[in-house]
Amino acid sequence: MNIQHQLEDFIAFFSSEQKPLSVDDFSKFGLQGKLKHYQKGALLMSQGSPAPYLFFITQGYARYFNVSADGKEFTQSFACAPCIAGSTRAMTRNTPALFSIEALDDVICLEFEWRNFFNTMKHQTGFLEAYTQLLENLFIKKEEREHAFVHHSAEQRYLNFLNNNPELSNKVPLKMIASHIGITPIALSRIRRKLEV
């Protein structure tokens, strides 16, 4: 694992086309990201615990999940490299995380302490533009997901998942996909038989 290579990928991800950042510029900010390796099944962060870190996943994929009071798991979303992961609420409000992030594959990522990272980067125009676009994309996905639960059938939600996540369709356990689209594993099996998947 080469931290320089991971850092270059991170800077490219967080640069706007109009005002790109460079590795040299970034090093002047004094930010020290930690290169971390999480094995499959490990938690990057845990529900109910402080989660002050921003993760930039450069390899692998993970899932966001929530456990109810009676122990039932709900898969909220998936994160595939290259991507940013973390809890905005926990990072910005310094509160315990409302969900966990689990590595579904071996995950390599850069880990930054959020408050220090944001206080440094908020003065960089290119970063702010990229961060704004990132937040817009997250809000759009959230709106589309909420719309789908009201207006789309379970079959259509599954087809949407396959269309939006082709790299995950054969890697993620079906029970997680079923939970993510709001149905039981048995219902998903019926849909897959109907679609001959």
Side-chain angles (χ1 to χ4, degrees), residues 39-42 44 60-64 75 77-79 102-107 168 171-173 176:
Q39 292 186 336
K40 181 178 180 179
L44 283 69
Y61 51 97
R63 70 162 176 147
Y64 289 53
T75 298
S77 62
F78 298 95
E102 176 190 17
L104 296 179
D105 187 17
D106 281 1
V107 165
L168 292 180
K171 295 179 180 178
V172 175
M176 293 181 186

Side-chain angles (χ1 to χ4, degrees), residues 30-101:
L31 292 169
Q32 298 297 318
K34 294 180 181 177
L35 186 60
K36 302 293 282 281
H37 175 213
Y38 291 90
Q39 292 186 336
K40 181 178 180 179
L43 296 180
L44 283 69
M45 51 176 266
S46 300
Q47 181 178 337
S49 298
Y53 298 107
L54 173 75
F55 302 93
F56 175 61
I57 299 176
T58 62
Q59 179 181 309
Y61 51 97
R63 70 162 176 147
Y64 289 53
F65 74 97
N66 198 307
V67 180
S68 68
D70 60 358
K72 187 174 181 182
E73 283 189 6
F74 297 89
T75 298
Q76 297 173 211
S77 62
F78 298 95
C80 298
C83 68
I84 295 294
S87 167
T88 302
R89 177 182 177 275
M91 290 189 299
T92 59
R93 295 185 177 179
N94 196 28
T95 56
L98 297 178
F99 56 85
S100 299
I101 299 179

Side-chain angles (χ1 to χ4, degrees), residues 147-175:
H147 175 82
F149 270 103
V150 175
H151 296 280
H152 294 169
S153 66
E155 180 178 316
Q156 185 58 54
R157 292 199 301 275
Y158 177 60
L159 291 172
N160 290 345
F161 174 84
L162 294 179
N163 185 56
N164 295 330
N165 305 278
E167 70 281 12
L168 292 180
S169 59
N170 294 319
K171 295 179 180 178
V172 175
L174 292 178
K175 66 178 183 179

Side-chain angles (χ1 to χ4, degrees), residues 11-27:
I11 292 167
F13 185 88
F14 252 133
S15 290
S16 71
E17 293 180 5
Q18 293 75 23
K19 303 210 172 161
L21 299 170
S22 71
V23 174
D24 289 339
D25 288 337
F26 192 82
S27 64

